[in-house]
Amino acid sequence: MPPYRLTESAFLRVLGLAYLAAFASFWPQIDGLVGSRGVVPAVRALIEIHADLGGRAYFEVPTIFWFGLGDHWLVGVCVLGCLASVPLIIGFFPRWAAIVCWVLYLSIVSIGPPFTGFQWDALLLEAGFLAFFAGAPWLVWAYRVLLFRLMFESGAVKLLSGDPNWRNLHALRFHFLSQPLPAPLAYYVYRAPDWMLDGMTLIALIIELGAPFLLFCPRFFRYAGVAALMFLQVCILLTGNYAFFNLLTLGLCLWGFDERIFAPIDRWLRPIALIERRSLRLAVHSVLAVIMALGGLQVIQLFLPPIGRPFSGVFSLIAPWQIVNSYGLFAVMTTERDEIIIEGSDDGESWREYSFPYKPGNLHRGLPWAAPYQPRLDWQMWFAALGSYPESPWFSGLARGLLVGDPAILSLLNPPPFDHPPRYLRALLYDYQFTTPAERARTGAVWQRQLKGVWFPASSLRVP
């Protein structure tokens, strides 16, 4: 048996799990996010895009929703995506299952901004596209190049950004507090001594910048590199909620192993048929070679931007399809934690807070475990807090939905503090900090906060 047949089979199962997590995560949210009465109705966006671009719109926004975009279509695609991921998980017609999953997920991501476009959305689409070529001997190199780019670019952008907190190794002094959705362990790791946090920052940079090169070395060094990359992913998984990112990246790490690792479980792995026809194999290898070359150019552009300029047209052409993407997580470290707290009122004097399922709000609520589920509105509220209200125009759709009591939008939050829609709505900006362990033991509070100002002024849909 060729040396990576079982590796391929094991990876495709993990890819199926990532797809299942992605579609199942969207299923209960998609109506409230981009449905006809959602925060940002996708049908309105598609109409505007088509009016601007005409026939080009179908290529610039590749989605099956051009054929219909009722709310039942949105939910139906999520359900179908969950069903299509099952054959991929169990190894039943995995190549066809991968194609269906990719088409459906690209369709959702294309209509989902600003609630899509996360690094793991791009990674899932790129990794999922490569799965079209399952059974090709060169596929192992395509996936190793993808893993190399993901990790090396993530490390390189941290230093190239000029952020002093990466260069002086202070980044993790802030990260466990300021990351979008801290996991329970983040509270305790944040309290580690500065020297330990700085050492962890150094180790993370060494792994991201050094271990990817070991993917192209002989077995012993390759295994060491993969072990380091997997160790980093497990650490991230234990301290933060990053949807299916860690699961998918751990799956990509499997491509650093060969058959001997999977031999004990080979009875549960069903390798896909090799591509035997010479002409078809030549075509597949040509496509993989182009993808790897473009991916390599992405890396080189980080250090020598002029190198990629002659190929800018190619990158622009394939960008909507997310076949080759750039990566770079936490290039600039956020050093404070600002939180937007939405409040409603009937009289403009007495205000009550709305709360979200996962993002910080209630000072006494513990940190959540959410991954591989991604509460996309909670995430978007974190990004919104980094800027002003005009920089997040989607918020007006959320505010309107709360003021009219729209069930689809209300389903994205915890039960509202009113039994009827409020007359007024506003949003305040707070600085959040972890309490000390002693304060937490005494009061039960995980957070303490200080008001910074009004983020969204009091508004109403009713005429006074």
Side-chain angles (χ1 to χ4, degrees):
M1 180 179 290
Y4 298 103
R5 298 296 310 290
L6 296 180
T7 305
E8 178 183 81
S9 182
F11 168 76
L12 290 175
R13 283 161 168 75
V14 177
L15 180 66
L17 289 172
Y19 269 127
L20 179 61
F23 285 115
S25 177
F26 261 115
W27 187 344
Q29 303 180 76
I30 196 165
D31 191 21
L33 294 176
V34 297
S36 60
R37 296 181 60 85
V39 177
V40 182
V43 63
R44 186 186 309 160
L46 288 182
I47 291 172
E48 293 174 354
I49 291 170
H50 190 271
D52 290 340
L53 301 179
R56 282 179 47 218
Y58 303 116
F59 190 88
E60 295 293 334
V61 183
T63 176
I64 62 173
F65 292 116
W66 287 115
F67 300 103
L69 193 55
D71 293 343
H72 60 285
W73 275 75
L74 293 170
V75 174
V77 165
C78 293
V79 174
L80 185 58
C82 290
L83 295 175
S85 67
V86 174
L88 195 53
I89 294 170
I90 65 177
F92 186 72
F93 292 112
R95 186 184 293 117
W96 288 106
I99 293 172
V100 172
C101 285
W102 185 85
V103 170
L104 296 177
Y105 199 64
L106 178 64
S107 295
I108 292 175
V109 170
S110 295
I111 64 160
F115 305 108
T116 55
F118 291 94
Q119 295 263 296
W120 39 89
D121 291 326
L123 182 64
L124 181 56
L125 287 170
E126 186 167 350
F129 180 77
L130 290 177
F132 291 13
F133 309 105
W138 283 15
L139 190 61
V140 59
W141 298 109
Y143 274 115
R144 286 182 185 175
V145 169
L146 173 57
L147 180 59
F148 172 88
R149 288 169 40 226
L150 170 67
M151 301 310 302
F152 181 75
E153 288 181 28
S154 295
V157 297
K158 293 177 173 63
L159 299 182
L160 294 173
S161 69
D163 182 3
N165 291 304
W166 285 112
R167 297 189 177 190
N168 62 20
L169 304 181
H170 291 177
L172 292 191
R173 296 186 186 186
F174 310 102
H175 170 72
F176 299 106
L177 166 71
S178 64
Q179 64 180 315
L181 293 180
L185 286 179
Y187 176 90
Y188 302 99
V189 180
Y190 176 74
R191 295 294 175 185
D194 286 347
W195 64 265
M196 183 179 296
L197 293 171
D198 294 349
M200 292 164 60
T201 305
L202 177 61
I203 291 172
L205 288 173
I206 290 174
I207 292 175
E208 288 184 339
L209 293 171
F213 288 95
L214 300 180
L215 295 171
F216 308 104
C217 292
R219 180 183 292 120
F220 175 81
F221 297 101
R222 186 173 72 249
Y223 281 17
V226 170
L229 294 174
M230 297 183 83
F231 169 76
L232 178 62
Q233 290 305 309
V234 170
C235 291
I236 297 172
L237 176 66
L238 292 175
T239 56
N241 290 288
Y242 294 96
F244 51 84
F245 171 72
N246 305 113
L247 170 65
L248 182 55
T249 305
L250 288 169
L252 289 172
C253 288
L254 298 180
W255 286 98
F257 299 122
D258 50 30
E259 302 296 79
R260 66 173 60 187
I261 295 294
F262 303 101
I265 59 171
D266 64 347
R267 70 180 66 181
W268 290 287
L269 299 177
R270 185 186 304 169
I272 196 169
L274 281 170
I275 297 175
E276 298 289 355
R277 287 181 55 185
R278 184 174 179 180
S279 59
L280 182 57
R281 181 181 294 187
L282 178 61
V284 166
H285 284 171
S286 298
V287 173
L288 292 177
V290 170
I291 291 174
M292 286 188 281
L294 292 174
L297 278 173
Q298 289 275 22
V299 177
I300 296 172
Q301 281 186 118
L302 289 175
F303 303 93
L304 299 170
I307 294 293
R309 287 174 188 164
F311 303 92
S312 59
V314 176
F315 285 118
S316 297
L317 186 67
I318 65 174
W321 304 85
Q322 305 209 36
I323 296 171
V324 178
N325 304 289
S326 58
Y327 300 97
L329 300 169
F330 293 105
V332 176
M333 180 53 62
T334 306
T335 59
E336 297 178 343
R337 179 171 205 98
D338 289 341
E339 285 292 343
I340 297 169
I341 302 299
I342 301 174
E343 296 180 334
S345 173
D346 287 329
D347 56 12
E349 298 292 336
S350 177
W351 296 87
R352 283 183 276 179
E353 295 184 10
Y354 286 85
S355 66
F356 287 72
Y358 297 96
K359 93 174 191 68
N362 186 316
L363 302 181
H364 291 77
R365 190 179 69 184
L367 302 181
W369 286 110
Y373 178 78
Q374 182 184 3
R376 292 188 179 248
L377 181 58
D378 294 57
W379 264 83
Q380 205 60 37
M381 292 294 291
W382 181 85
F383 285 107
L386 299 178
S388 62
Y389 158 66
E391 296 174 283
S392 299
W394 57 267
F395 186 83
S396 60
L398 173 61
R400 186 185 184 285
L402 296 179
L403 285 170
V404 301
D406 187 88
I409 290 181
L410 288 174
S411 70
L412 301 174
L413 286 73
N414 286 330
F418 304 89
D419 58 6
H420 59 277
R423 184 184 182 99
Y424 301 98
L425 196 83
R426 72 180 184 185
L428 304 180
L429 189 68
Y430 286 88
D431 174 67
Y432 270 61
Q433 296 286 334
F434 283 141
T435 56
T436 65
E439 291 171 326
R440 185 174 184 179
R442 185 177 69 255
T443 67
V446 178
W447 299 99
Q448 55 186 340
R449 71 186 187 186
Q450 183 174 357
L451 180 64
K452 297 183 71 172
V454 176
W455 189 82
F456 178 77
S459 302
S460 178
L461 295 178
R462 308 179 199 175
V463 178

